[in-house]
Amino acid sequence: FTGAIGIGKTTLASIAIPYMVHWVLCLKDPQEYFGLMPRSRIAFMLMSTTDAQAKEVLFGDIKARLSGSPWAKRMDSPWPGSPWDPAFKNQLRFPKEIWVLPGNSKEKSFEGYNILGGIIDEGDSHQITANKDYAQVGYETIHNRISSRFIDPVAKDHRGLLIVIGQMKSASGFMSRKMKELEGDEGAVVIRLTQWESFGWQTYKNEDGTYDVFWYDIERKCEVSPEYARDIKSDSIIPIPNAYKKDFDTNPVKALRDLAGIPPEATDPFIAVMERVQRAQLRWHQNHPDI
């Protein structure tokens, strides 16, 4: 799940994991159901860039949703007044050995657990060294633990869920690579939203039924006329609500990344206004048609 900022990526993850925890805890014997040894821990792993990010943002949202759940409040628990063990502040340890664990991509906290659900948070913000892409390694580790322990013999697939969320910060980053990889996977769902799509296009509708938009060429990074957009019919020309026009006029690269969810070719492009380079290339080809 990727795209613009503020479209609900963390919200989605903070709903999915509590739902899975609820589902597993409704089983009479989760370990027997999944073919695990008695009292084997079934874990839900949250992988963020740092411990603080893991514990304060995503884990905090999940804990809040479970705390406010009527189901959690009436759940049978060996701890009076709490559905989980209150002795652990940075983990949620439920009955039946069901755990929710936050961690960061640099540690090996997900090793040794039977992971049924996992979240890779802020996919493009994890450290990359000459020898290791921490987001990719974390994804593979969690995915392998899901697929090796929770196989569905009927569907010939695993029963788990691994969610990757975050903004695409470059066209060659982890989120962009993972999106292209999963788009062709029948067992995966890829969601990419602009900020205005997350609010719904009806938000920007005029009284006469038309939409209050301008047309923008994302390759040339400039506004074009409605007539030009109609005649060219290019995927690189998109409608954008006029409410965001100032953002695109002021800083097109940032607006494309943060509001449209379209990353630059590099994390911090040396040449931000590619339209000038493209115009120069076109003039060169016109002046030297034989070369």
Side-chain angles (χ1 to χ4, degrees), residues 166-187:
Q167 188 182 12
M168 282 191 291
K169 295 187 176 179
S170 83
S172 58
F174 170 77
M175 291 298 295
S176 180
R177 297 196 312 269
K178 192 56 59 179
M179 183 184 74
K180 292 171 185 175
E181 172 191 326
L182 296 179
E183 280 177 332
D185 187 339
E186 292 183 356

Side-chain angles (χ1 to χ4, degrees), residues 74-126:
R74 65 175 182 265
M75 187 179 74
D76 290 334
S77 164
W79 308 286
S82 176
W84 52 74
D85 190 342
F88 297 91
K89 301 300 182 185
N90 296 319
Q91 299 178 4
L92 300 181
R93 297 191 180 187
F94 292 89
K96 303 180 184 181
E97 298 297 333
I98 310 302
W99 293 12
V100 178
L101 305 170
N104 68 67
S105 54
K106 293 183 181 179
E107 63 184 34
K108 298 182 179 180
S109 57
F110 32 68
E111 295 185 0
Y113 289 102
N114 303 304
I115 301 176
L116 180 59
I119 298 173
I120 309 290
D121 189 18
E122 295 296 343
D124 271 3
S125 297
H126 293 264

Side-chain angles (χ1 to χ4, degrees), residues 137-191:
V137 171
Y139 179 92
E140 292 170 356
T141 302
I142 294 176
H143 185 275
N144 290 343
R145 292 187 175 278
I146 292 174
S147 60
S148 65
R149 289 163 168 80
F150 296 98
I151 290 296
D152 184 338
V154 177
K156 310 297 183 185
D157 200 355
H158 65 74
R159 291 165 160 145
L161 177 66
L162 177 53
I163 303 176
V164 182
I165 59 175
Q167 188 182 12
M168 282 191 291
K169 295 187 176 179
S170 83
S172 58
F174 170 77
M175 291 298 295
S176 180
R177 297 196 312 269
K178 192 56 59 179
M179 183 184 74
K180 292 171 185 175
E181 172 191 326
L182 296 179
E183 280 177 332
D185 187 339
E186 292 183 356
V189 175
V190 174
I191 301 171

Side-chain angles (χ1 to χ4, degrees), residues 17 22 34 37 44-45 48 53 61 65 90 127 129 145 163 183 185 211 215-217 231 234 237 249 265 279 291:
I17 292 299
H22 156 263
F34 287 117
M37 291 283 289
F44 296 89
M45 186 65 62
S48 297
Q53 177 78 7
D61 282 2
R65 292 197 188 283
N90 296 319
Q127 184 178 356
T129 65
R145 292 187 175 278
I163 303 176
E183 280 177 332
D185 187 339
Y211 291 94
W215 292 87
Y216 197 81
D217 190 326
D231 295 341
S234 171
I237 300 175
D249 289 341
E265 290 300 318
R279 286 206 305 262
I291 299 177

